[in-house]
Amino acid sequence: MKNTLPALFFCFFFSFLHAQSTILFGRGNVPNISVTASSQSSAGLQTLTGAGYLPNAAAASRFLSQATLGHNMGLIQNVTAVGVEKWLDTQLALPNTFNIQNYLAGLHQMMVDSLRFLYPENTYTLSTVFAGNGHFDASWFQGAMTAPDLVRWRVALALSEVFVVSRISTFDGNPYALASYYDLLLENSLGNYRTLLDKITYHPAMGVYLTYINNHATDSTDRIYPDENYARELMQLFSIGLYKLNLDGSEMRDTNNQLIPTYNNNDIAGLAKVFTGLSWHDSDYLGDTEKNIWSFTMPLKFFPIDSSDAKKNTWKTNPRILNGHEPGTKTFLGSTIIARPVAQGEQDIQDALNIIFNHPNVGPFMARRLIQRLITSNPSPGYIQRVATVFNNNGSGVRGDLKAVVRAVLLDSEARDCGNDQTGPTVGELREPFIRYMNLMRGLPLTTQGAIYRNMMVELYAFIEQLPLNSPSVFNFFQPDFQPDGELKALGKFAPEFQIMNSKTIVGYINALNKWLIEEDPTEYAGLFNGETYKSDQDPKFNLTADYAFTRNDKVPQLLDKYNLLFTGGKLSAKTLDLIRSMVIKMPYSEDENGVPNADQALNRVKLTLVLLLSSPDYLINR
């Protein structure tokens, strides 16, 4: 850490002799301590709380590894210069700057225009020219590589693993469904949680994925009952979880020391009645199907009455007219929504979301989810409580302020303190495979002539089994309470990302590093349509020439220092550094008479350095 208060140290050891133990305080760890100065200066207190410090480069890199999808040396220098808090506040103030659906639509229209030019004898329209998952992935990657609101993109990815929608569904192959849903997450990732609940409830991708679109009121004649899927997952996975929680995330116990469920089957059935009567925005009636791929881009429409019989059978003189929305009261989670005319059924939805939003579990539930996705798999109860407290009240009486919550997650003393032991087996988290990929793409100079990063990411999933909106189930790629066998399980600790670490993904990741670095093929350029000519300016490659000067044997430690700082925040152990160095210097190396390294040999040394570093346990575990 770099001190802006030169007269004071940034950490102090204080021995409490009566307890016969040493307590580290400073940099935010200030229990029961007050500081005064004869000058009445607040500098002492600022030193202890950490407000008086700018981060050193290693601390800046570590922070950026938690707050962004990936960072380069320039960003490290920026954070080092202005400080973590100022940089973060600037980020949180940025608007959403990239719309994936708009970029996708531009690609799609370009494809149509190009095909019309190439084959004028044929008729091409947006409806007849195919756009698929790869076009969404290319659009997503373009935004992730160019949007300046870096924290928003990291939080949106985290939220996509909480409020899960996946292409492994009936809308597989519809890039507009994926783009529209991800745009929702981007737009609301730093907004209010209550608004986010509303937006996902009305999004057709969620309606299809969790099967409540065209959900119908009870019709005992035809044995139709409200679908319970969304009601269940909304409570279990998106808001309150299975068991009642204390503010610090610990599970409450009853008088028999048993866990206390947050809901039961009756609660699910009661809530399911609320989500009835919703269908496609461009539907003519409840039970209608989508008109086209763009139906997924418009919010669901409410149908209080089911007039499908009349709409589909216009010849009938006395068609069957039923309730689309469930009438009567709806009781769940100890609350009852009043009976109202079905035409006012959307107020039922708002009442239900308000009940969930105000449940005391939501704060600690979301606090733990976001801490796990951004910082550590095993946050302390105090960490969860501090973040949950901000969720409950941002300091201005507002509940659910995600911007304030994200700020609390990233700036908490447990995330930032120098005094925390960063070597223990439960500290930090295994980097998600896709995060590792983005660390590399954003960390190294990935260059294109036209600032277009075409990347269809088809093979990528085969290598690492992870992509945005490609979870195998609503339970995400991994679950928050997953415990791998061994030491962590014995300690009662969690390691969610280890759920997708297996022999296939381990080998896949190493093979992927070989492709990205050794074979110099970091992205997956592919034609957007049949007959498209190759556009080299959209096929990005790494430019590592600046590092050739550090490939001579005596300078390899400098090369390692740079990449150690960039990718691990300086966390490579001396043993790992020495092992990598000893392997790199065995690679062929020569210089010309002017001391200029042979370019091919120097590049091979740089590439090997990166492969070994990015496959090391010191990198894979982000502490």
Side-chain angles (χ1 to χ4, degrees), residues 548-561 589 591:
Y548 293 180
F550 304 107
T551 54
R552 199 174 65 197
N553 284 4
D554 62 326
K555 292 188 176 181
V556 167
Q558 293 176 254
L559 182 67
L560 279 168
D561 286 345
Y589 178 84
E591 298 177 348

Side-chain angles (χ1 to χ4, degrees), residues 213-214 279-280 282-291 308:
I213 196 166
N214 290 319
S279 189
W280 301 97
D282 51 3
S283 292
D284 295 322
Y285 53 85
L286 186 65
D288 201 1
T289 58
E290 70 269 30
K291 297 292 191 292
S308 57

Side-chain angles (χ1 to χ4, degrees), residues 82-372:
V82 302
V84 166
E85 292 188 28
K86 185 175 180 180
W87 184 89
L88 179 58
D89 287 339
T90 300
Q91 277 284 310
L92 295 177
L94 291 175
N96 182 19
T97 60
F98 190 92
N99 186 282
I100 300 174
Q101 184 182 326
N102 287 348
Y103 189 85
L104 169 66
L107 287 182
H108 201 181
Q109 186 62 57
M110 180 273 292
M111 293 158 59
V112 171
D113 295 342
S114 298
L115 287 167
R116 286 172 177 169
F117 178 79
L118 291 170
Y119 310 104
E121 69 277 11
N122 297 330
T123 299
Y124 295 100
T125 68
L126 289 170
S127 297
T128 60
V129 174
F130 173 75
N133 292 340
H135 297 86
F136 162 74
D137 291 327
S139 302
W140 186 98
F141 190 76
Q142 180 68 19
M145 292 300 295
T146 60
D149 41 331
L150 307 178
V151 173
R152 180 185 299 275
W153 276 78
R154 179 62 188 264
V155 175
L157 184 66
L159 292 176
S160 76
E161 297 181 1
V162 178
F163 303 96
V164 174
V165 154
S166 175
R167 68 187 78 183
I168 303 176
S169 62
T170 58
F171 51 85
D172 184 27
N174 182 348
Y176 286 94
L178 304 176
S180 176
Y181 187 76
Y182 209 95
D183 281 337
L184 180 162
L185 297 176
L186 283 170
E187 186 63 32
N188 294 279
S189 59
L190 300 176
N192 194 282
Y193 173 85
R194 174 63 178 81
T195 303
L196 182 60
L197 282 185
D198 190 82
K199 296 293 185 181
I200 67 167
T201 297
Y202 276 88
H203 199 282
M206 183 64 78
V208 171
Y209 190 60
L210 291 184
T211 62
Y212 62 96
I213 196 166
N214 290 319
N215 200 10
H216 200 283
T218 301
D219 179 4
S220 55
T221 300
D222 290 339
R223 296 185 178 181
I224 296 174
Y225 302 95
D227 186 288
E228 297 180 350
N229 204 10
Y230 184 60
R232 179 186 303 106
E233 308 309 354
L234 175 59
M235 291 189 289
Q236 179 181 346
L237 302 178
F238 302 166
S239 61
I240 64 175
L242 292 172
Y243 301 104
K244 290 186 178 182
L245 303 174
N246 296 301
L247 188 62
D248 65 3
S250 60
E251 294 165 330
M252 293 183 181
R253 300 272 177 169
D254 61 19
T255 55
N256 295 316
N257 201 35
Q258 299 298 306
L259 297 175
I260 306 172
T262 50
Y263 62 88
N264 56 34
N265 288 336
N266 291 333
D267 294 309
I268 296 171
L271 182 56
K273 296 174 183 178
V274 171
F275 301 113
T276 49
L278 293 172
S279 189
W280 301 97
H281 190 85
D282 51 3
S283 292
D284 295 322
Y285 53 85
L286 186 65
D288 201 1
T289 58
E290 70 269 30
K291 297 292 191 292
N292 50 52
I293 58 175
W294 295 278
S295 297
F296 277 88
T297 66
M298 298 176 283
L300 299 177
K301 185 164 68 175
F302 180 68
F303 288 86
I305 300 297
D306 176 11
S307 59
S308 57
D309 191 31
K311 296 285 187 178
K312 291 188 292 186
N313 304 299
T314 56
W315 52 269
K316 284 189 176 182
T317 58
N318 189 26
R320 193 177 183 205
I321 304 296
L322 303 169
N323 285 321
H325 181 71
E326 185 80 14
T329 60
K330 289 95 177 167
T331 299
F332 70 103
L333 298 181
S335 298
T336 297
I337 297 173
I338 63 170
R340 48 173 60 102
V342 292
Q344 300 174 16
E346 284 192 282
Q347 188 57 51
D348 290 353
I349 296 175
Q350 296 306 311
D351 288 350
L353 295 181
N354 284 337
I355 290 168
I356 292 171
F357 174 59
N358 287 295
H359 192 286
N361 263 36
V362 179
F365 179 91
M366 285 304 299
R368 180 172 181 246
R369 293 297 184 276
L370 287 173
I371 294 170
Q372 282 193 321

